[in-house]
């Protein structure tokens, strides 16, 4: 079921798309901008699995800036999108509260980033390739370390960045 603007027999302008189930319930699917029958511009999308996205679309795909809340609090992403995937700078928060802030390419962590391990109160700064950290430093987050869910047994010492004299 569609309610909104039309142009040349296609959804064009602002409109709301809903689905009617066999039992007669109506579920909103998309509310936002349309161009030539496709989601295009700013809009909100409700997914069947319970996830919700708001942001920009281009030719029916998430593209530009947007944010998504995954079903039942299983994660959150905010940042750049391209061709329906995380692409560019963004922030991803996991269900347990841990957070990655950095670069993404084709939906995966790729490039420089910072991962906050709030469950162990540590911060990891480094470089990721294909969703895997390949080089990083990890240090304790000083505040409330004793209240972390999984604290490390020993404190991680701070790195002293002073130049070493040549002998």
């Amino acid at each position: 079921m569609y309610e909104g603007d039309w142009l040349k027999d296609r959804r064009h302008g602002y409109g709301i798309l809903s689905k009617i189930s066999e039992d007669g319930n109506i579920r909103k699917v998309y509310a936002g901008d349309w161009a030539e029958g496709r989601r295009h511009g700013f809009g909100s999308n409700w997914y069947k699995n319970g996830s919700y996205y708001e942001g920009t679309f281009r030719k029916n795909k998430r593209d530009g800036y947007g944010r998504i809340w995954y079903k039942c609090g299983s994660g959150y992403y905010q940042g750049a999108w391209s061709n329906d995937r995380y692409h560019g700078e963004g922030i991803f928060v996991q269900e347990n509260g841990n957070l990655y802030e950095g670069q993404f390419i084709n939906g995966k962590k790729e490039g420089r980033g910072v991962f906050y391990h709030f469950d162990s109160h540590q911060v990891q700064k480094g470089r990721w390739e294909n969703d895997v950290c390949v080089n990083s430093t990890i240090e304790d987050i000083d505040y409330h370390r004793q209240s972390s869910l999984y604290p490390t047994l020993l404190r991680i010492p701070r790195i002293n960045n002073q130049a070493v004299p040549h002998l």
Side-chain angles (χ1 to χ4, degrees):
M1 177 173 73
Y2 175 77
E3 180 180 358
D5 300 325
W6 292 87
L7 179 67
K8 296 181 183 176
D9 246 2
R10 291 186 180 175
R11 299 174 187 135
H12 194 89
Y14 182 83
I16 300 171
L17 178 67
S18 301
K19 298 245 176 166
I20 303 172
S21 62
E22 290 180 10
D23 62 5
N25 287 327
I26 299 173
R27 179 179 68 86
K28 191 183 302 184
V29 175
Y30 177 77
D33 298 324
W34 297 84
E36 299 178 350
R38 298 186 208 171
R39 294 171 293 176
H40 192 89
F42 185 82
S44 299
N45 205 97
W46 292 264
Y47 297 92
K48 193 173 186 175
N49 70 3
S51 299
Y52 169 74
Y53 170 83
E54 67 180 20
T56 55
F57 288 85
R58 184 173 180 265
K59 296 183 178 179
N60 254 0
K61 295 186 177 181
R62 295 168 289 197
D63 198 281
Y65 181 83
R67 50 193 180 172
I68 188 167
W69 291 263
Y70 290 100
K71 66 175 182 173
C72 302
S74 62
Y76 169 80
Y77 173 79
Q78 173 178 317
W81 294 77
S82 179
N83 200 28
D84 243 8
R85 295 181 181 206
Y86 314 149
H87 195 86
E89 293 291 321
I91 297 171
F92 183 79
V93 181
Q94 297 176 329
E95 183 176 7
N96 63 5
N98 290 344
L99 180 147
Y100 171 80
E101 180 177 13
Q103 299 169 327
F104 292 85
I105 294 181
N106 288 323
K108 296 181 180 180
K109 293 184 280 297
E110 183 84 29
R112 292 254 172 238
V114 179
F115 197 103
Y116 298 91
H117 300 270
F118 290 118
D119 53 356
S120 63
H121 282 252
Q122 295 174 316
V123 62
Q124 179 179 12
K125 298 175 184 177
R127 190 169 57 83
W128 275 256
E129 290 178 5
N130 198 29
D131 234 17
V132 175
C133 184
V134 294
N135 186 354
S136 70
T137 59
I138 297 177
E139 62 185 58
D140 287 333
I141 299 172
D142 284 333
Y143 62 91
H144 303 293
R145 183 175 176 278
Q146 69 276 8
S147 66
S148 68
L149 296 175
Y150 306 104
T152 54
L153 295 175
L154 302 172
R155 291 185 58 79
I156 296 174
R158 293 214 177 273
I159 296 173
N160 187 346
N161 290 335
Q162 295 176 352
V164 177
H166 293 285
L167 300 176

